[in-house]
Amino acid sequence: MPTVTFSSPKMRRDLTVYAPAGDRKSILGVAREHGVAIDCECQKGECGSCTVEVIHIGNKPPMAVHLTEKEKLTLLTSGKLARQEFEELELLDLAPRYRLACQYLLLDEDIVVKF
Ligand code: FES
């Protein structure tokens, strides 16, 4: 079962939770379900307030590598993702380091979410 570990200076300690694959929940949804307070304003992928760093752990290749158009635009305009970096990642089918917690739908993979 995939796990999500939330890590932040705002928390007393890291929290690891199970996130069943197929639930189609966002990082933000799982965080809220477990009382983890990730900043969020719009929940539509437009404001960038929920930007988190996602680190893939385990030995499976990252799965949730594709960004929605809103997520791409917001990360590019906020400066969390440079256009050249984005184009290289897309070409190699790799995941960017920063993602929007409200847009990233969890798949069958173990991740650490830093915020
Ligand atoms: Fe605004 Fe996620 S809450 S982009």
Side-chain angles (χ1 to χ4, degrees):
M1 188 178 295
T3 62
V4 180
T5 299
F6 294 101
S7 179
S8 170
K10 299 176 185 174
M11 299 167 59
R12 272 192 269 162
R13 61 178 176 266
D14 292 355
L15 174 68
T16 299
V17 300
Y18 292 108
D23 275 8
R24 303 292 293 163
K25 286 187 180 156
S26 66
I27 289 173
L28 187 62
V30 173
R32 286 183 162 182
E33 199 174 272
H34 294 278
V36 176
I38 294 177
D39 291 340
C40 67
E41 291 176 17
C42 72
Q43 298 182 50
K44 297 177 185 171
E46 296 170 352
C47 72
S49 65
C50 67
T51 302
V52 294
E53 182 179 0
V54 176
I55 300 164
H56 291 84
I57 56 174
N59 43 14
K60 287 183 187 173
M63 298 171 77
V65 297
H66 300 288
L67 285 65
T68 64
E69 288 304 316
K70 281 184 183 177
E71 188 174 16
K72 282 180 205 171
L73 183 62
T74 300
L75 289 172
L76 287 168
T77 54
S78 71
K80 286 293 185 184
L81 186 60
R83 180 154 304 276
Q84 184 179 353
E85 178 189 8
F86 170 70
E87 289 170 0
E88 288 170 6
L89 291 170
E90 203 166 54
L91 190 66
L92 299 170
D93 211 19
L94 297 174
R97 179 174 169 190
Y98 294 101
R99 300 294 298 267
L100 299 179
C102 71
Q103 298 295 298
Y104 186 118
L105 297 179
L106 295 167
L107 295 174
D108 187 16
E109 56 190 351
D110 299 326
I111 59 173
V112 175
V113 175
K114 293 187 170 195
F115 61 99

